[in-house]
Structures are given as structure tokens and as C-alpha cells.
Amino acid sequence: MKLLFLHGGSVIDGSGAPARRADVLVGDGVVRAIGDRAGVDLGSASAERRDVTGAVVCPGFVDIHTHSDLTLLANPTAPSKVRQGVTTEVVGNCGLGVAPLPDGADHVAIRAAVSYLDLDPAVAWTWRDLPGYLAALEAARPSVNVASLVAHLVLRGGVVGFDDRPATGAEIDTMCALLDDALDAGAIGLSTGLVYAPLTFSRDEELLALARTVARHGKVFTWHVRNYDDDLIPSVQQALDVARRTGCRTQISHLAVVGRRNWGAVSAALDLVDGARAAGLSVGVDIYPYLHGNAPLAQLLPAWVQEGGLDARREQLQHAAVRTAIRSEWVDRAVPWSEITISWVADPDRSGVLGRSVADLAVEQGVDGDDVVLDLLAGLGTGVMMVAGGRSEGDLRTVLAHPATVVASDGLSLDPDGVTGAGVPHPRSYGCFPRYLSRYAATDPAGFAEAVARCTSRPAQLAGLADRGWLRVGAPADLVVFRPGRLTDRATFTDPQQFAAGIDLVVVNGDIVVDGERHTGQRPGQVLRT
């Protein structure tokens, strides 16, 4: 039996219980024993022994909101995630995903619509259904465990297309049947993203039918709600109304509000969440500890421009009348162009815009910011990403302190030395969990152990991953060993591709994947099905 003995550490088991001095023995991929100083030495002559005195030993971080669907196939060693202590990722979030692809679907249009995930054009989509995608992940042998949601965009785009119209009854039935099959195949739930075309055109009848299907399976429905600025409250209310009418377990993704005029609205949104929870509904919230978000630049376009798919949108953006109409809607934008930076472009010849704010590019080009953005979208379509600010530190701390909140990166598994490391990505992909634990956890009213639980067992429970996120005997040995005084994120918005500091070990299913500053090359991750 392959044994690993961690001696002298401070164990935080993920339950929210306080830290205690204990030794941990790992063998055959599971936690074999946990004992305190007065107990029997759990080690043996054959064990690899590590003195972790002064360090915290806790479960590996469970990142339930990620977009690593394709980057894990581009580089399965998952460097930006494991180097920050993540041992499990949930993909398929925000309605963006890669399966199932129904017969007759416009696969090219769907791949373009989820370009946010698609950083490596060499990754071939060889699957058509969720079992095929999960098999591709298993064949890749990632360094992290992976679970998948079903992405609403693939369902609607494949069945209904990209037009602004209600789904017919037959189309809703087809989407529900595809969802049923994927949930039976082990998907942990469904995600939607009502800001992304064609999901912008989804009506309540469609959302309710899909939610009832998820509820029947006892799984989770995660929501990138329709609006995070002026209409945050009605957008959250829509998700909660669907939860009330269907009984579906619900997760509000990256709860934040943008635009100075909207600061404080998260408190009202959390009041709605509290009301739903008090009524007996299972409702959770996730957030990352940053004041900037990251999204396709096309997210800024009005919904009516996005009808018909990528080609139709790019053709529309050539017309002066369409541009004038868009500009009129942008007059009262919640976030100014000075707070929106270009972070990634699909065309290397346009790399000069990377890391530059729209306002700075406008000055350089002698135009206004509207024209900069419209020209980029006309030329690159969905192949351009942004980092956008406009958030409040007070709002962030309010959400982080709420009992329904868990921490999740909303990032991707990236390789700084490979194709997925191109551009100036959001630093959350490299430093989310160390940043939270080093900068925010000390002020968590529930204490540091509960802050660890927000990164481990709490998200695992929300995702229905019952055996992950806990450090207990018999559980899979997904562990992180870190030095609290040294733990920090080093990734910044100007220099994001830097790994976190203060992590001694990351163990996935009993194998050491990160040893100090070194990725060991081990790829023991499993595809998790529920």
C-alpha cells in the first residue's frame, strides 16, 4: 500500500469545526486515519513522511464555478488551479458548455457562442453527448477531479437555434429529454446564463420545464442571472421564482452588482435569498474575492443585436443605423469605458489591445469608446474578452460574510507557458482561494475554520459531491497543506500569470500533485458523476 504520513499539522477538516493538532495518514487514495499527538503513531516504516508542523492541513478546494471545460483537455495538468489548492472543478457553468450536441445542431455556431471556453483551437470536439465528453476528460487524465453541469446554451442553441422567439412545446420537450439523459449520465445539474445569446431569448416556460427536470433528479440549477447592474433585483427574483414554483435546488452564480449607482443592491438581493431559504428552499450563492469580472466583450451588446448567431451579429455591426441604435442604449452605461480592459483576443495580430482599457484605446485611435468596442466586435466576433470593474469592496465583503455564500473562482484552468495562457487573463484563475483565505477569511464573522468550509465542504454539498470537501477517515484523499502566514495570491491584473505562494502540498486522490513550487506531473484526477 502506498502511504503518505503528514505529521504535526493543524487539521481543519472542512466541517467548520475549529483547527486541531493531528497527524494524517493517507493510503490507497483515501484518508486512512487521523490522530492527535497523544494517540498512536499512525505512520509506518513504508510511509512517505512529511513534517508539516506549523501548517494547516485541510481538504482540497472545491471550485464549483469554473469554465475549464476545454482548457483541461488542452493541458490536463491544470497548473493554475492545482497550484492554488484546487482539487475539484465543476465545469459547464453560466449556461456555457460543450455537451450535449443534438443531431442537426449547428455545431460551428454553438462553438462560436461558447468561445469564452475555447482558448485552444487544437482541441477537437469529438463527442456529441455528455458521456462522450466525460469520456474525453477521463482519457485526458487531468490532475484535478472534474464534475460537469449541463449547459443551457448548448440545449437551446442545438434545439431552438439563435432566433428571438419562444421555444415551442415540442422543442421544450426535446431539451428536457436531452437534459434527462445527461443528468442520468452523471451531470450534477443544469446551468443557465441569461445574458448570453441565445439564452437571452429564453422565456419562463422553458426555464420552468428545465427546472422541473432538474428537480426530479434532485440536482442543482445554477444561474448566471439576466442582469448584474441596474436590474439585479428582478433578475435574482426570477431565479427564486423558478425555485419556488419547481422546488429546484438553486445556486446564484457570482452574486455582485456593477455600477456605482447600484452599490448596496447586493444586500437587497441577499434579503431575497434569505426569504427563499426561510421558506424552505435550498438556495446558495457563490462569489470570487475580486472587484472586477471577466466575460466576452459581446456581453455588452443589447439582446436584439445578438439574434441569429455570430455571422448575423457581425453583419449587423457593419451598418451605421445599427451602431447608432446601440450607442443610444450605451449612453447610460453602468460601467465607464475606463473600467473595461481587453484581456484576450483570438487574433494574434490584434494583441496590441491586450491589457489596455477601452478609454485608452479610444484616445490612441482618435475615436470614442463606443467605436472601439463596436470595431472589435465587428472584427473579432466572440473572439475578444474583457475584464470589467465597477464593483464595491463593501458589497464584496457583504456577500462573502453571508451564510449562504461559498467561494468559487469563475475562472479557467490555465497554463502560463501554453496556448491557454495567452493574453492578460483575470487573476482569479491563479489566485482565487489563496486571496480569499489570506485577505478576507480573517474577517469572516464565523471564523477561519468556517472560511475554509466555504472553500471545501460547503461548495461540495451544493454540487451534490457528498464525498469531497471533507478531511475524514474513508474520504478520498484530496488535501491541501498551506502556511497561513505565507499564503497569498501573487497574480495581479497587470501580471496575472503568477502562481500562489505558501502552499506546501496538494494531494489529489492520494497522489502528491504539487510539492512546494513544483507540479509533480501526476494526473490522478477523476471524473465525478452523481
Side-chain angles (χ1 to χ4, degrees), residues 114-322:
V114 300
S115 61
Y116 183 59
L117 319 174
D118 201 15
L119 304 185
D120 183 358
V123 174
W125 293 30
T126 57
W127 54 84
R128 287 293 177 265
D129 54 16
L130 186 80
Y133 169 63
L134 297 182
L137 279 175
E138 286 177 324
R141 297 176 40 248
S143 289
V144 294
N145 305 305
V146 190
S148 182
L149 294 154
V150 180
H152 186 190
L153 189 148
V154 184
L155 296 176
R156 183 176 174 93
V159 174
V160 182
F162 287 77
D163 293 336
D164 181 1
R165 65 171 179 84
T168 67
E171 289 168 336
I172 290 173
D173 289 345
T174 299
M175 284 189 279
C176 289
L178 289 165
L179 176 59
D180 246 328
D181 290 345
L183 294 172
D184 282 338
I188 68 167
L190 170 72
S191 77
T192 193
L194 298 179
V195 73
Y196 299 115
L199 300 184
T200 47
F201 311 130
S202 300
R203 274 60 163 187
D204 281 351
E205 294 81 3
E206 176 181 335
L207 295 166
L208 287 165
L210 293 170
R212 291 188 185 100
T213 303
V214 176
R216 192 165 59 250
H217 287 261
K219 297 188 177 183
V220 67
F221 192 176
T222 74
W223 288 68
H224 178 129
V225 298
R226 197 173 293 276
N227 185 282
Y228 286 89
D229 47 59
D230 299 343
D231 291 323
L232 174 69
I233 300 307
S235 297
V236 170
Q237 187 65 67
Q238 180 185 28
L240 298 178
D241 285 345
V242 170
R244 286 190 182 93
R245 294 172 68 180
T246 64
C248 187
R249 286 198 295 122
T250 299
Q251 182 75 6
I252 307 296
S253 297
H254 39 61
L255 180 61
V257 70
V258 299
R260 182 177 293 270
R261 65 189 181 220
N262 299 310
W263 288 2
V266 294
S267 295
L270 289 170
D271 287 344
L272 294 175
V273 170
D274 287 339
R277 286 160 62 91
L281 297 175
S282 175
V283 180
V285 168
D286 61 68
I287 190 58
Y288 44 86
Y290 297 86
L291 299 181
H292 292 70
N294 182 210
L297 190 66
Q299 180 177 312
L300 300 177
L301 290 171
W304 58 267
V305 185
Q306 303 186 54
E307 184 177 8
L310 176 60
D311 291 341
R313 180 192 314 161
R314 293 175 73 170
E315 195 277 331
Q316 282 205 76
L317 292 178
Q318 307 300 324
H319 297 289
V322 171

Side-chain angles (χ1 to χ4, degrees), residues 457 459-470 472 475-476 528-530:
S457 67
Q461 287 175 307
L462 290 169
L465 303 173
D467 63 346
R468 305 287 163 168
W470 303 88
R472 59 189 177 193
L528 307 178
R529 298 171 173 84
T530 61

Side-chain angles (χ1 to χ4, degrees), residues 496-516:
Q497 300 186 68
Q498 300 187 78
F499 297 122
I503 292 178
D504 287 359
L505 290 173
V506 179
V507 178
V508 179
N509 295 312
D511 287 341
I512 296 175
V513 174
V514 174
D515 193 348

Side-chain angles (χ1 to χ4, degrees), residues 54-56 434 437-438 448 482-489 501-504:
V56 167
L437 291 173
S438 63
F448 190 78
F482 65 85
R483 304 277 166 176
R486 292 179 46 236
L487 184 69
T488 188
D489 60 312
I503 292 178
D504 287 359

Side-chain angles (χ1 to χ4, degrees), residues 60-68 80-81 84-91 93-94 116 149 188 222-223 228 251-256 284-294 391 396 399-402 404-413 426-437 440 450-460 462-463 465:
F61 305 138
V62 179
D63 193 351
I64 63 165
H65 190 114
T66 88
H67 295 287
S68 301
S80 76
K81 288 304 187 74
Q84 62 171 294
V86 172
T87 57
T88 297
E89 290 200 74
V90 174
V91 300
N93 278 281
C94 292
Y116 183 59
L149 294 154
I188 68 167
T222 74
W223 288 68
Y228 286 89
Q251 182 75 6
I252 307 296
S253 297
H254 39 61
L255 180 61
V285 168
D286 61 68
I287 190 58
Y288 44 86
Y290 297 86
L291 299 181
H292 292 70
N294 182 210
R391 304 186 186 190
L396 173 59
V399 177
L400 284 172
H402 193 273
T405 299
V406 300
V407 176
S409 74
D410 194 19
L412 299 88
S413 173
H426 196 297
R428 66 194 180 191
S429 292
Y430 288 83
C432 172
F433 294 92
R435 180 181 181 88
Y436 167 65
L437 291 173
Y440 293 94
E450 180 60 30
V452 170
R454 293 181 191 271
C455 304
T456 56
S457 67
R458 305 287 186 261
L462 290 169
L465 303 173

Side-chain angles (χ1 to χ4, degrees), residues 336-382:
W337 294 132
S338 60
E339 294 190 51
I340 294 178
T341 300
I342 306 304
S343 62
W344 179 85
V345 290
D347 182 358
D349 292 338
R350 305 294 292 272
S351 61
V353 303
L354 293 172
R356 309 281 305 281
S357 74
V358 171
D360 286 346
L361 291 170
V363 171
E364 180 181 280
Q365 297 172 20
V367 297
D368 65 17
D370 294 7
D371 282 329
V372 169
V373 173
L374 291 170
D375 288 346
L376 284 169
L377 293 173
L380 295 170
T382 56

